[in-house]
């Protein structure tokens, strides 16, 4: 579905991504994980054309991502970030509707879709009438996910979608997200620094990154049992207890 | 967007009501300088032209050279002038000594003067009778013995070649001299703040304040015979009106002129001060038995006219300024390479003093509302550009990225996300510009742009405090109302989500 070949991104003198190649198959959930500054967010933004590669190519569904088709491709992708990225001057409902309005949806279809997503994300219609500043952190994140999902995207890109939430709400949303992902049947790419979250939401495909490069890719089990480098083992061991707590030791 | 709609409604409303001053007016335009005597004579000329059936309009100018240039440019057809001013000031580079020379110099420029109206309003040097008698002053030469006397002269006298610099050299005076607004000089004399000032020999206050006029014993001051200065082609285009205006020749002597000035500046026999227009009408009635309907409006009528003109200046200039500044601010926010030069250039515009800017603009744009509007537009750019730039660059990167990520084009992002988010800051800039604009527009009074500046300026030059208030008070009230209106607008158009 998405293919990055030899992607290199520099910000000034700093190399954020160094010759990264990654292929993501359709209808699969992948987690990009690694310590802060490892390039996982940059890789995600590269896939959407939000940063341009200094060298390398991004292909979307077989077609190279270029300036000319960028807008069209973005309409096929849902994107949500840590702080939600909701527009403060619009109500939650208007935020959700905005992408669909620009896609030319009529009112009835829009209303139907918002209702569906509201059920899926378990929000009240009262909450949708409020402005982002009047919502709790968890509600904001649910609205952001609704906005990402409104066009029924083929690909869902999530950058630390739960990063700003307190542990209780976060745990609750993690459970809900797993249900949502399995229901969607979309390609999902999730950026997180939390191994437990990755192992829970994308147990079969975890990409561990460090200093702008991919260190190892595989299922959680592979990473744990056959680490390809000392760094992988260190990273996994440092978070194992929390993984056990979240997955009930079942992995 | 509601606020854009409001803006366009405002523009079209003003456009529909027409500009404050029509251009290319086929009618006769009579000018005058703004001080009382010139205004009275100017109104008399206008009324005489109208009496001969012409359609005439009156325009007032702040000084000799502005009026003279307006005449040369054909913006006006005629105005009262003084021979001394023509020879020593307006055409001083020609070094004219004789009237024949003056006549031919004017003819070369398509101008002509009448025979003298009958009084010589030359400069005179005056002191209070008290000081004059105490020091035994009689002539200007006597001043040389008293170098500690405090001299203050009208600004024009201080600077012109036939004013203070020449007087100082001819009489060998060593006194320090300061500049002072002529109409304030009398009060300064009366209160003892200054000892000596320049007078005009027809000043109403000479008799009223019992001032002592020092004899010009070295015949320094030239003759300042009042004449009718007009464009030659009036002989063809408005022969009857011209003949009617020339009736003034030989009809007003110094004593008569002093009395007319007194009616306007002090009030005759303890009566009220009259508008120059009214004095002119009564004089024509007495001299030629011409009945003129003064047709002046009452205070409210004038206030409504001035308010309309002032709003015209403000609304037109603000609309144009917004149309220029908003895109400029967006552009500056888009490109870091542009933002520096754009903000610097507009900042420099702001540092030019308003008066200087007006004077510079007179050359290309002439006298009138259009010049004031250009100046006001330039003045209003900075707050709007700067706030638009700040409002847009202040939007968090997360929000911009979210807008891009959901597939908005650059234009949609600007319209749906950036401008609404920057709106509170942009509005604050527009508000600042508008409040400053209302105040600065009063300077339009100096260049006949209409509005509240007109009574303020007339009041200053005619030493009439009530007249000044007639412009100053409504200008202050309007500024406050504009501020309130924007606070209201802010609550209506800025999203509630941004005020939480």
């Amino acid at each position: 579905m998405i293919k990055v070949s030899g992607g290199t991104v520099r910000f000034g003198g700093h190399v954020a991504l160094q010759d990264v190649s990654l292929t993501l198959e359709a209808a699969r959930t992948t987690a990009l994980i690694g310590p802060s500054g490892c390039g996982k967010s940059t890789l995600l933004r590269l896939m959407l054309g939000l940063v341009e590669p200094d060298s390398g190519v991004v292909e979307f569904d077989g077609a190279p991502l270029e300036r000319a088709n960028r807008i069209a491709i973005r309409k096929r992708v849902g994107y949500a970030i840590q702080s939600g990225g909701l527009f403060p001057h619009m109500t939650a409902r208007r935020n959700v509707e905005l992408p669909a309005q620009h896609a030319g949806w009529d009112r009835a279809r829009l209303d139907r879709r918002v209702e569906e997503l509201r059920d899926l994300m378990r929000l009240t219609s009262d909450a949708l009438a409020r402005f982002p500043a009047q919502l709790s952190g968890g509600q904001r994140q649910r609205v952001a996910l609704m906005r990402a999902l409104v066009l029924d995207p083929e690909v869902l890109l999530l950058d630390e979608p739960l990063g700003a939430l307190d542990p209780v709400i976060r745990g609750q949303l993690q459970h809900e997200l797993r249900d949502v992902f399995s229901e969607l049947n979309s390609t999902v790419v999730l950026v997180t620094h939390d191994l437990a979250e990755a192992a829970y939401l994308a147990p079969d495909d975890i990409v561990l990154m460090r200093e702008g490069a991919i260190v190892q890719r595989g299922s959680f089990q592979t990473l744990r049992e056959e680490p390809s480098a000392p760094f992988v083992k260190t990273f996994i061991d440092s978070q194992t207890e929390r993984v056990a707590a979240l997955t009930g030791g079942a992995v | 967007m509601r606020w854009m709609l409001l803006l366009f409604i405002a523009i079209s409303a003003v456009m529909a009501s027409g500009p404050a001053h029509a251009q290319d007016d086929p009618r006769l335009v009579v000018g005058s300088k703004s001080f009382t005597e010139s205004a009275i004579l100017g109104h008399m000329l206008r009324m005489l032209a109208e009496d001969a059936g012409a359609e005439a309009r009156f325009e007032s100018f702040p000084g000799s050279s502005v009026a003279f240039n307006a005449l040369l440019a054909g913006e006006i057809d005629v105005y009262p002038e003084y021979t001394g001013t023509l020879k020593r000031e307006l055409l001083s580079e020609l070094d004219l000594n004789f009237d024949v020379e003056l006549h031919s110099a004017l003819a070369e420029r398509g101008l002509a003067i009448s025979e003298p109206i009958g009084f010589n309003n030359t400069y005179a040097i005056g002191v209070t009778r008290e000081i004059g008698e105490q020091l035994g002053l009689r002539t200007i030469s006597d001043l040389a013995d008293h170098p500690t006397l405090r001299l203050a002269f009208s600004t024009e006298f201080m600077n012109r070649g036939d004013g203070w610099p020449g007087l100082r050299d001819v009489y060998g005076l060593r006194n320090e001299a300061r500049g002072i607004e002529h109409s304030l000089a009398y009060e300064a004399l009366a209160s003892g703040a200054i000892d000596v000032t320049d007078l005009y020999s027809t000043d109403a206050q000479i008799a009223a304040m019992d001032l002592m006029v020092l004899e010009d014993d070295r015949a320094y001051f030239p003759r300042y015979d009042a004449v009718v200065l007009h464009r030659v082609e009036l002989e063809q285009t408005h022969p009857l009106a011209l003949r009617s205006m020339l009736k003034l020749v030989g009809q007003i002597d110094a004593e008569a002129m002093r009395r007319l000035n007194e009616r306007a500046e002090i009030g005759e026999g303890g009566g009220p001060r009259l508008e120059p227009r009214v004095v002119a009408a009564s004089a024509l009635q007495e001299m030629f038995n011409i009945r003129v309907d003064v047709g002046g409006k009452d205070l409210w009528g004038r206030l409504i006219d001035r308010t309309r003109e002032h709003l015209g200046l403000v609304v037109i200039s603000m609309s144009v300024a917004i149309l220029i500044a908003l895109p400029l601010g967006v552009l500056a926010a888009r490109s870091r390479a542009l933002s520096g030069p754009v903000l610097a250039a507009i900042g420099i515009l702001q540092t030019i003093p308003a008066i200087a800017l007006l004077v510079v603009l007179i050359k290309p744009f002439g006298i009138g509302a259009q010049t004031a509007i250009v100046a006001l537009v330039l003045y209003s750019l900075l707050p709007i550009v700067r706030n638009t730039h700040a409002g847009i660059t202040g939007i968090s990167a997360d929000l911009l990225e979210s807008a891009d990520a959901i597939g908005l084009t650059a234009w949609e992002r600007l319209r749906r996300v950036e401008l609404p988010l920057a709106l509170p800051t942009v509005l604050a800039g527009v508000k600042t510009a508008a409040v400053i604009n209302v105040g600065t527009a009063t300077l339009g009074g100096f260049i006949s742009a209409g509005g509240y500046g007109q009574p303020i300026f007339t009041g200053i030059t005619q030493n009439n405090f009530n007249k000044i208030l007639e412009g100053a008070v409504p200008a202050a009230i309007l500024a406050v109302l504009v501020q309130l209106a924007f606070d209201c607008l802010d609550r209506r158009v800025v999203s509630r989500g941004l005020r939480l």
Side-chain angles (χ1 to χ4, degrees):
Chain A
M1 192 70 209
I2 297 179
K3 187 174 171 195
V4 178
S5 317
T8 297
V9 174
R10 291 188 201 91
F11 296 124
H14 169 70
V15 179
L17 279 185
Q18 179 68 57
D19 194 21
V20 169
S21 296
L22 181 69
T23 304
L24 299 171
E25 267 129 54
R28 187 155 184 205
T29 299
T30 303
L32 304 182
I33 190 166
S36 303
C38 70
K40 53 192 191 295
S41 287
T42 306
L43 180 56
L44 191 76
R45 289 156 74 225
L46 183 67
M47 293 175 192
L48 205 48
L50 292 172
V51 292
E52 296 204 29
D54 290 286
S55 63
V57 182
V58 178
E59 282 169 72
F60 189 91
D61 204 9
L65 177 65
E66 291 161 339
R67 265 173 185 278
N69 62 10
R70 206 160 61 186
I71 300 280
I73 285 175
R74 284 173 185 169
K75 287 186 197 293
R76 296 165 65 188
V77 178
Y79 179 72
I81 56 176
Q82 173 169 352
S83 52
L86 296 179
F87 303 124
H89 61 295
M90 298 176 180
T91 60
R93 176 179 285 274
R94 292 274 301 110
N95 264 286
V96 173
E97 289 173 352
L98 188 62
Q101 267 182 344
H102 278 273
W105 286 27
D106 64 35
R107 192 70 245 169
R109 185 176 173 199
L110 209 54
D111 287 343
R112 245 190 343 265
R113 182 64 179 154
V114 171
E115 277 310 296
E116 276 170 30
L117 292 171
R118 195 175 63 73
D119 280 347
L120 183 72
M121 296 312 306
R122 298 182 194 178
L123 275 165
T124 62
S125 46
D126 185 43
L128 284 188
R130 286 188 222 139
F131 287 100
Q134 297 166 311
L135 298 173
S136 71
Q139 285 173 318
R140 272 203 290 275
Q141 217 49 259
R142 288 166 197 265
V143 173
L145 286 164
M146 281 177 71
R147 185 173 71 182
L149 291 170
V150 70
L151 287 177
D152 201 5
E154 298 155 61
V155 176
L156 190 58
L157 304 181
L158 305 174
D159 190 351
E160 299 272 10
L162 311 179
L165 304 178
D166 65 67
V168 177
I169 304 284
R170 182 171 182 152
Q172 193 183 334
L173 259 174
Q174 278 165 342
H175 291 298
E176 288 177 23
L177 269 186
R178 189 155 79 161
D179 297 342
V180 170
F181 291 167
S182 62
E183 206 170 312
L184 279 179
N185 206 29
S186 302
T187 309
V188 177
V189 185
L190 170 78
V191 164
T192 179
H193 64 273
D194 181 358
L195 181 64
E197 193 167 287
Y200 182 66
L201 292 172
D204 300 328
D205 190 14
I206 295 176
V207 178
L208 178 59
M209 297 181 65
R210 184 193 188 190
E211 289 172 358
I214 294 174
V215 183
Q216 189 173 3
R217 179 180 184 178
S219 67
F220 176 61
Q221 199 168 359
T222 313
L223 259 59
R224 198 176 50 173
E225 289 168 5
E226 302 159 35
S228 65
F231 168 72
V232 179
K233 187 168 163 45
T234 317
F235 188 83
I236 300 226
D237 287 348
S238 71
Q239 298 199 34
T240 306
E241 275 176 36
R242 297 191 35 245
V243 175
L246 187 65
T247 58
V251 278
Chain B
M1 307 213 118
R2 241 177 320 168
W3 58 280
M4 278 217 172
L5 191 70
L6 284 174
L7 176 65
F8 283 114
I9 291 172
I11 295 174
S12 33
V14 170
M15 292 303 180
S17 72
H21 283 259
Q23 293 224 290
D24 300 320
D25 199 328
R27 299 179 306 172
L28 190 65
V29 187
V30 179
S32 90
K33 294 183 250 182
S34 55
F35 63 89
T36 309
E37 180 173 296
S38 191
I40 294 174
L41 292 173
H43 278 293
M44 288 174 87
L45 291 174
R46 171 181 63 86
M47 290 164 180
L48 285 168
E50 285 172 347
D51 187 52
E55 260 193 79
R57 188 159 60 84
F58 177 81
E59 284 230 10
S60 180
F61 296 90
S64 303
S65 57
V66 187
F68 190 66
N69 285 327
L71 186 70
L72 283 175
E75 287 169 29
I76 59 174
D77 299 294
V78 53
Y79 81 95
E81 189 48 282
Y82 304 89
T83 52
T85 309
L86 283 164
K87 286 184 195 163
R88 297 297 189 90
E89 177 71 13
L90 298 172
L91 300 170
S92 60
E93 75 277 10
L94 302 180
D95 200 16
L96 307 169
N97 288 311
F98 301 102
D99 283 353
V100 227
E101 293 174 331
L102 175 60
H103 282 284
S104 63
L106 289 172
E108 282 170 27
R109 289 162 176 75
L111 307 180
I113 51 171
S114 69
E115 291 298 306
I117 289 173
F119 63 91
N120 169 23
N121 186 6
T122 189
Y123 278 111
I125 300 300
V127 296
T128 55
R129 187 157 299 279
E130 193 187 347
I131 289 185
E133 287 179 347
Q134 199 182 335
L135 301 178
L137 300 177
R138 209 176 47 75
T139 64
I140 300 180
S141 298
D142 294 341
L143 286 179
D145 303 331
H146 302 281
T148 55
L149 283 177
R150 288 159 303 163
L151 276 48
F153 298 118
S154 62
T155 324
E156 193 170 347
F157 186 83
M158 278 298 284
N159 298 317
R160 51 196 279 171
D162 57 350
W164 166 243
L167 186 75
R168 184 183 52 204
D169 295 346
V170 167
Y171 282 97
L173 302 178
R174 285 161 294 139
N175 305 57
E176 286 294 315
R178 293 182 290 140
I180 188 169
E181 173 62 36
H182 184 61
S183 53
L184 302 178
Y186 297 105
E187 281 169 35
L189 269 183
S191 68
I194 61 174
D195 302 316
V196 180
T197 192
D198 61 312
L199 310 168
Y200 301 109
S201 34
T202 51
D203 273 354
Q205 282 86 346
I206 293 178
M209 292 180 60
D210 192 21
L211 299 179
M212 183 185 269
V213 175
L214 300 180
E215 189 194 323
D216 181 16
D217 51 329
R218 294 189 189 167
Y220 169 70
F221 292 118
R223 288 191 68 83
Y224 282 79
D225 286 314
V227 291
V228 178
L229 176 61
H230 62 89
R231 293 183 64 82
V232 172
E233 71 252 26
L234 281 195
E235 290 162 12
Q236 274 79 47
T237 57
H238 295 83
L240 294 177
L242 181 60
R243 197 184 315 156
S244 178
M245 289 191 282
L246 294 182
K247 279 189 208 164
L248 280 189
V249 167
Q251 292 302 309
I252 307 176
D253 62 18
E255 183 50 41
M257 193 65 234
R258 211 174 289 161
R259 232 177 26 242
L260 296 182
N261 286 338
E262 190 183 357
R263 283 186 203 169
E265 297 210 324
I266 302 167
E268 197 172 32
R273 285 192 291 212
L274 302 176
E275 300 264 337
R277 191 166 37 86
V278 179
V279 173
S282 65
L284 289 182
Q285 165 107 45
E286 289 160 19
M287 291 161 58
F288 307 112
N289 200 25
I290 293 174
R291 298 187 66 88
V292 181
D293 178 14
V294 184
K297 299 193 173 175
D298 62 358
L299 179 63
W300 287 112
R302 292 199 302 270
L303 210 56
I304 290 169
D305 282 356
R306 296 293 93 85
T307 304
R308 230 190 25 226
E309 290 165 0
H310 205 88
L311 282 176
L313 293 176
V314 172
V315 173
I316 293 178
S317 62
M318 281 306 295
S319 306
V320 176
I322 290 171
L323 289 181
I324 297 174
L326 209 57
L328 217 52
V330 171
L331 222 60
R334 278 273 175 281
S335 146
R336 203 167 294 186
L338 263 180
S339 70
V342 165
L343 292 178
I346 290 176
I348 287 170
L349 265 182
Q350 199 80 358
T351 60
I352 303 175
I355 282 285
L357 189 62
L358 278 178
V359 170
V360 169
L361 291 174
I362 286 177
K363 192 85 185 161
F365 295 101
I367 294 281
Q370 69 282 1
T371 309
I373 288 172
V374 173
L376 290 174
V377 167
L378 295 179
Y379 260 101
S380 305
L381 291 179
L382 181 68
I384 308 177
V385 172
R386 200 162 49 188
N387 277 36
T388 307
H389 174 262
I392 289 182
T393 51
I395 298 172
S396 84
D398 275 356
L399 291 181
L400 295 181
E401 201 167 276
S402 293
D404 286 336
I406 62 177
L408 298 187
T409 61
W411 167 246
E412 286 166 347
R413 187 179 92 170
L414 181 67
R415 201 171 68 90
R416 304 296 289 266
V417 177
E418 289 172 280
L419 285 179
L421 287 175
L423 188 57
T425 320
V426 174
L427 263 187
V430 174
K431 176 165 81 176
T432 306
V435 171
I436 294 175
N437 189 308
V438 167
T440 312
T442 57
L443 292 176
F446 283 89
I447 55 164
S448 308
Y452 297 138
Q454 207 81 328
I456 293 177
F457 185 68
T458 312
I460 291 173
T461 51
Q462 295 175 0
N463 194 22
N464 183 339
F465 191 63
N466 288 340
K467 196 92 200 167
I468 297 177
L469 288 184
E470 199 178 309
V473 171
I477 292 174
L478 184 62
V480 173
L481 287 180
V482 165
Q483 167 100 22
L484 292 176
F486 270 98
D487 292 344
C488 230
L489 190 69
D490 197 77
R491 277 193 292 275
R492 293 190 68 99
V493 301
V494 171
S495 162
R496 207 161 54 81
L498 296 181
R499 281 181 276 117
L500 294 166

